[in-house]
Amino acid sequence: MTILVIADHDNTSVRQGTLATMTAAAAIGGDVTMLVAGEGCAAAAEDAAKIADVSKVLCCDSPLYAHHLAESFAALIVGLAKDYTHVLAPAVTMGKNTLPRVAALLDVAMLSDISGVVDADTFIRPIYAGNAMATVKSGDAVKIITVRGASFDKVAHGDGTAPVETLAPGEDPGLSSFVGQELSKSERPELTSARVVISGGRGMGSADNFHHIEKLADQLSGAVGASRAAVDAGYAPNDFQVGQTGKIVAPELYVAVGISGAIQHLAGMKDSKVIVAINKDEEAPIFQVADYGLVADLFEAVPALEAELAK
Amino acid sequence: MKVLVAVKRVVDYNVKIRVKADKTGVETANVKMSMNPFDEIAVEEAVRLKEAGTVTEIIAVSIGPQQCQETIRTALAMGADRGILVKTDDEVQPLGIAKVFKALVEKEAPDLVLMGKQAIDDDSNQTGQMLAGLLGWPQATFLSKVALGDGAATMTREVDGGLETIEVKMPCVGTVDLRLNTPRYASLPNIMKAKKKPIETLELDSLGVDTAPRLTTVSVDEPPARQAGVVVPDVATLVDKLRNEAKVI
Ligand SMILES: Cc1cc2nc3c(=O)[nH]c(=O)nc-3n(C[C@H](O)[C@H](O)[C@H](O)COP(=O)(O)OP(=O)(O)OC[C@H]3O[C@@H](n4cnc5c(N)ncnc54)[C@H](O)[C@@H]3O)c2cc1C
Ligand SMILES: Nc1ncnc2c1ncn2[C@@H]1O[C@H](COP(=O)(O)O)[C@@H](O)[C@H]1O
């Protein structure tokens, strides 16, 4: 087995999802090459070389890959794919955007968002918002896979010594270009890898009240999440959304405040280790997955919680 | 400008899914079916582009059994002009769906194909990207804003860290995210009008496209159930439990 792992990184270091993808690669078994593509990504390539079990890093440093536009990036990966039995990427925007295009160009199927590895051909993936788990076998010569970060441990990072090779950039297909971005700035831990996540829902009532969620998150050194309703109402930015179509999280502690617990929301957090729900409606479905439920008005419970945690 | 919109018939998002006892899939008999919610957003966007005068014709396409007619009718009632049903009772996976769309694109020559970012049954999130790859077209996925220009489109996307804007040449494939728009409910007069709009039915086999599944489903299982939790009486008890029982804070 020869596996190509596409790194998700910020040019300085690899992100957590890349380390979870390495665990999936180890479960498949075989030699792992990691591709680090970007503009000014040499430090990230050095960082990738330190990951246990990476045997080689390919560093492709070019403005063409600065934003991982699918057209040029997929072409680069397709050029490499023939040497590998598996191509894996974390199921983050980059992986979800690029790998299906790679699969189509190679005329093979793709396995999205796997949560388990049975063997080198057989994988487990959630369907219907995680209400069913499909075990799927691929007969294709190369398997194109995105990996659900929340479902795999992160591999050790620090004592690997893989060589870094320079990879020449491909052609620019000239189909797309980057215009700009609006990224949410935050000093808090990244939502998908935080140890604690505090999420607010429609029950928060306003963007102003939503600051209570941020305060709780800061008290517990956690990240902030939101339901779709909270995002749609403008209480929180889109990248805070947890759920079937948002981010998938599995922290040690997930606190849902004023969230009803629709299946689409549960899909994104029900694998958390400990779930706390605060909701004034004792019938709210969120209580069916909560380890600790508090039936209360959040406008009383949240300040009380802040005070109790401050003790 | 011509737009092709994909409309998939899926189990309604409000239905509580049940895994079949023989583990071959989920129960779909006597279950409410609807248009994939993302596809409603795609149809809505196409209709708004038509209302704005940018788009002249909207073609709604569904691949699947005869009942997909109903899904196409819904799109027609929302404002699509005509429909194409590619009929099959067999399972067609995203790569196969993308190939069928490629054949239709070659026939219809649209300037834009709009799809959902993800079908809520298979949760694949693949078809649009695959179609763009097969056609050699640019792709704009997870759209939260669409601005069509002359020969190019400026597209805003929901990405991990927030929003990203890219420019893509046209023709292109777009896949829509939840916040692009809020789909309309079709009015009764429009539902009546939709009954007269044409739907062309093509047998899948007649297209000469290889849609044989590449992935075999070995089994479909229930997800692991969570242990029932406890209701705590007050905040002090909650914090005590988190500190001393669960030891997570
Ligand atoms: C295709 C599709 C994809 C979707 N994807 C996602 C997704 O990824 N993530 C997601 O979250 N949703 C998603 N949804 C939406 C989902 O179906 C729900 O609509 C949404 O999760 C509801 O958010 P909510 O729980 O905040 O709001 P509501 O359901 O309105 O619940 C608000 C809760 O707050 C409680 N509350 C109100 N006031 C107070 C108070 N003062 N004190 C205590 N409790 C209070 C209420 O009792 C209620 O339970 C999706 C829907 C569709 C159709
Ligand atoms: N059978 C189908 N008929 C019409 N459109 C489809 C079909 N399957 C997938 N699509 C389109 O592709 C999108 C993404 O689906 P998927 O890649 O399966 O998650 C859907 O939102 C639809 O727009």
Side-chain angles (χ1 to χ4, degrees):
Chain A
M1 241 57 72
T2 49
I3 305 173
L4 179 67
V5 172
I6 318 295
D8 181 39
H9 63 86
D10 61 6
N11 281 333
T12 311
S13 51
V14 298
R15 293 205 176 95
Q16 297 289 318
T18 309
L19 302 177
T21 302
M22 280 301 300
T23 302
I28 294 166
D31 195 60
V32 179
T33 300
M34 185 169 286
L35 172 66
V36 177
E39 184 180 22
C41 60
E46 289 302 330
D47 188 52
K50 293 191 201 124
I51 300 173
D53 297 337
V54 169
S55 63
K56 183 168 76 181
V57 175
L58 298 176
C59 176
C60 189
D61 191 339
S62 160
L64 196 51
Y65 308 114
H67 300 284
H68 297 127
L69 292 174
E71 298 75 14
S72 51
F73 195 33
L76 180 74
I77 298 168
V78 167
L80 298 170
K82 62 177 187 322
D83 296 331
Y84 299 93
T85 55
H86 298 73
V87 178
L88 271 59
V92 296
T93 302
M94 177 276 292
K96 291 189 279 197
N97 189 41
T98 313
L99 286 207
R101 192 174 176 106
V102 171
L105 292 169
L106 294 169
D107 193 27
V108 298
M110 174 176 166
L111 295 124
S112 295
D113 211 17
I114 62 161
S115 60
V117 174
V118 178
D119 58 40
D121 304 320
T122 317
F123 306 89
I124 300 170
R125 56 178 303 268
I127 54 175
Y128 291 92
N131 289 302
M133 306 300 289
T135 303
V136 189
K137 195 176 162 81
S138 160
D140 286 316
V142 48
K143 277 115 191 126
I144 309 292
I145 297 169
T146 54
V147 176
R148 174 172 285 205
S151 302
F152 292 88
D153 292 334
K154 279 125 203 124
V155 293
H157 185 216
D159 51 5
T161 53
V164 178
E165 285 177 17
T166 302
L167 180 71
E171 304 261 309
D172 181 358
L175 294 170
S176 56
S177 57
F178 174 81
V179 176
Q181 60 190 11
E182 256 176 73
L183 302 184
S184 337
K185 279 192 208 66
S186 166
E187 302 297 307
R188 299 190 185 90
E190 198 198 332
L191 182 55
T192 50
S193 55
R195 213 186 61 81
V196 174
V197 174
I198 317 287
S199 288
R202 199 199 309 266
M204 297 309 299
S206 73
D208 244 12
N209 293 336
F210 207 84
H211 293 311
H212 283 294
I213 297 293
E214 293 164 9
K215 190 157 173 216
L216 272 184
D218 290 340
Q219 281 181 299
L220 295 168
S221 309
V224 176
S227 70
R228 176 192 171 188
V231 175
D232 285 359
Y235 307 166
N238 65 282
D239 53 303
F240 283 28
Q241 182 177 316
V242 171
Q244 179 185 21
T245 53
K247 301 231 162 83
I248 311 289
V249 302
E252 296 278 303
L253 172 62
Y254 187 89
V255 183
V257 186
I259 292 179
S260 61
I263 47 174
Q264 294 86 6
H265 188 80
L266 301 186
M269 44 64 77
K270 69 180 163 57
D271 293 330
S272 305
K273 190 158 158 261
V274 174
I275 297 174
V276 171
I278 302 177
N279 196 305
K280 67 177 178 190
D281 173 12
E282 61 182 326
E283 303 286 317
I286 190 78
F287 288 122
Q288 288 162 22
V289 300
D291 299 283
Y292 302 109
L294 181 61
V295 182
D297 188 321
L298 68 91
F299 295 110
E300 285 161 26
V302 171
L305 187 54
E306 282 166 13
E308 189 70 29
L309 288 171
K311 275 188 198 164
Chain B
M1 199 182 290
K2 200 167 168 180
V3 181
L4 215 62
V5 188
V7 294
K8 185 177 186 185
R9 180 175 179 266
V10 298
V11 173
D12 186 85
Y13 81 98
N14 276 316
V15 170
K16 181 139 179 43
I17 292 300
R18 289 217 325 277
V19 171
K20 281 189 192 163
D22 65 3
K23 297 188 170 193
T24 54
V26 307
E27 209 57 73
T28 50
N30 303 317
V31 165
K32 183 175 180 219
M33 305 293 282
S34 300
M35 187 190 298
N36 186 39
F38 290 98
D39 300 353
E40 288 182 20
I41 297 170
V43 174
E44 175 67 31
E45 194 64 16
V47 174
R48 289 187 191 188
L49 289 167
K50 190 173 174 198
E51 286 167 349
T54 322
V55 161
T56 47
E57 189 183 23
I58 303 168
I59 308 161
V61 178
S62 195
I63 301 160
Q66 182 62 36
Q67 294 91 315
C68 294
Q69 278 249 2
E70 296 160 22
T71 316
I72 295 174
R73 285 277 171 228
T74 306
L76 298 177
M78 289 173 73
D81 297 292
R82 59 184 170 98
I84 301 176
L85 166 64
V86 178
K87 214 172 102 186
T88 176
D89 290 323
D90 297 336
E91 179 195 359
V92 186
Q93 295 172 349
L95 181 64
I97 299 286
K99 289 181 181 180
V100 172
F101 270 93
K102 179 172 184 264
L104 296 178
V105 164
E106 282 159 1
K107 198 164 148 242
E108 297 284 349
D111 304 278
L112 173 68
V113 181
L114 281 179
M115 299 186 142
K117 88 159 172 184
Q118 154 177 355
I120 61 160
D121 49 4
D122 62 34
D123 282 333
S124 289
N125 189 342
Q126 299 175 0
T127 309
Q129 297 90 312
M130 287 182 157
L131 173 63
L134 294 176
L135 290 166
W137 287 8
Q139 65 188 55
T141 52
F142 323 146
L143 290 171
S144 69
K145 197 170 165 210
V146 170
L148 303 183
D150 208 15
T154 305
M155 307 287 221
T156 304
R157 315 171 52 222
E158 293 202 8
V159 297
D160 288 335
L163 296 173
E164 176 187 89
T165 303
I166 58 173
E167 188 176 285
V168 291
K169 288 211 169 130
M170 297 196 45
C172 66
V173 177
T175 79
V176 307
D177 215 319
L178 287 172
R179 275 165 287 273
L180 180 60
N181 60 48
T182 307
R184 69 193 65 193
Y185 290 101
S187 66
L188 198 58
N190 285 342
I191 293 172
M192 299 311 289
K193 258 198 262 166
K195 295 198 169 136
K196 297 199 190 78
K197 293 183 179 175
I199 299 180
E200 181 185 359
T201 302
L202 302 170
E203 293 295 329
L204 176 65
D205 296 341
S206 74
L207 291 175
V209 173
D210 167 23
T211 54
R214 304 293 184 83
L215 302 173
T216 321
T217 300
V218 180
S219 69
V220 174
D221 297 86
E222 297 273 358
R226 276 192 87 92
Q227 293 285 330
V230 295
V231 170
V232 293
D234 52 39
V235 166
T237 316
L238 174 63
V239 172
D240 177 60
K241 296 248 187 211
L242 292 177
R243 281 203 176 117
N244 302 315
E245 190 176 85
K247 297 192 167 60
V248 286
I249 60 171

